[in-house]
Amino acid sequence: KDILRGALGERLNIVKDRIASTTAVKREALKNLVERHFGANRERFNVALRHLDGLLERIESRIEKMEANGIDTSAVDSALAEAKTAIATAKADVAELGDLIQRVKDTDDKTTIREQLQTAMKKAIESIKDAQRERNEVMRILLDIGKQNRDTASTTSAN
């Protein structure tokens, strides 16, 4: 009996070790999957934010040129400030997503991880969309100022 108990105990320990190693492999695979999938999305978000930054630089340059030509651009200043704030918020949300991705441990519960990452991702997406809407508003106001200036210039030239 003692021999059978010892053999059974050994086999039980072997099975427990195999289960533990399989679980560790699965958890490591989950961590890699999270880093790959959500990391790719984070990079896509960073590209969108760099694009928004580039457009804002061009818009600011356009505003400076208009001001140098004596055109009143005060209407666009508040919209530009709101756009910059929205972009800063979006950058913070994307950074928060990146931090969350880095904090994922192989011992975390996958359901909890999924919910947290999806929530952070939705928040980042909405922030980027808000920043894009604000940028579009700045561009619309800038176009309106340009049209008004052209209309005024053409009316003045015609007289």
Side-chain angles (χ1 to χ4, degrees):
K1 279 186 170 182
D2 291 336
I3 295 173
L4 288 176
R5 273 193 194 134
L8 183 62
E10 275 184 46
R11 286 187 170 246
L12 197 57
N13 287 338
I14 291 171
V15 169
K16 285 180 182 179
D17 289 343
R18 284 183 182 169
I19 290 172
S21 68
T22 303
T23 302
V25 168
K26 285 182 181 179
R27 290 191 181 274
E28 187 64 31
L30 173 67
K31 185 176 180 180
N32 290 336
L33 177 68
V34 164
E35 289 174 357
R36 241 186 7 255
H37 176 68
F38 288 98
N41 284 325
R42 181 189 60 200
E43 187 56 36
R44 187 172 49 101
F45 296 157
N46 284 327
V47 167
L49 290 172
R50 282 194 301 271
H51 180 71
L52 283 171
D53 280 338
L55 286 173
L56 274 189
E57 287 177 16
R58 291 174 55 197
I59 289 170
E60 288 173 334
S61 171
R62 181 64 57 196
I63 290 170
E64 290 171 5
K65 287 179 184 178
M66 293 174 97
E67 288 173 345
N69 290 331
I71 299 171
D72 180 28
T73 59
S74 59
V76 78
D77 290 337
S78 65
L80 183 62
E82 289 177 19
K84 286 181 178 182
T85 303
I87 289 173
T89 302
K91 285 180 179 180
D93 290 343
V94 170
E96 183 181 320
L97 175 64
D99 291 343
L100 187 59
I101 291 169
Q102 295 303 316
R103 285 193 317 256
V104 170
K105 297 179 192 132
D106 55 357
T107 57
D108 292 340
D109 178 46
K110 68 179 183 179
T111 305
T112 306
I113 294 170
R114 183 183 310 124
E115 290 172 359
Q116 289 174 346
L117 288 170
Q118 285 177 343
T119 301
M121 190 133 111
K122 286 177 185 177
K123 185 177 177 184
I125 289 170
E126 285 305 313
S127 295
I128 291 171
K129 285 181 180 179
D130 288 342
Q132 289 171 335
R133 281 191 284 273
E134 293 296 332
R135 183 232 27 225
N136 289 343
E137 181 64 18
V138 170
M139 291 174 67
R140 186 191 60 76
I141 293 171
L142 203 57
L143 286 172
D144 289 345
I145 291 172
K147 286 179 185 177
Q148 289 172 356
N149 186 49
R150 272 193 303 249
D151 293 343
T152 305
S154 64
T155 308
T156 310
S157 299
N159 291 334

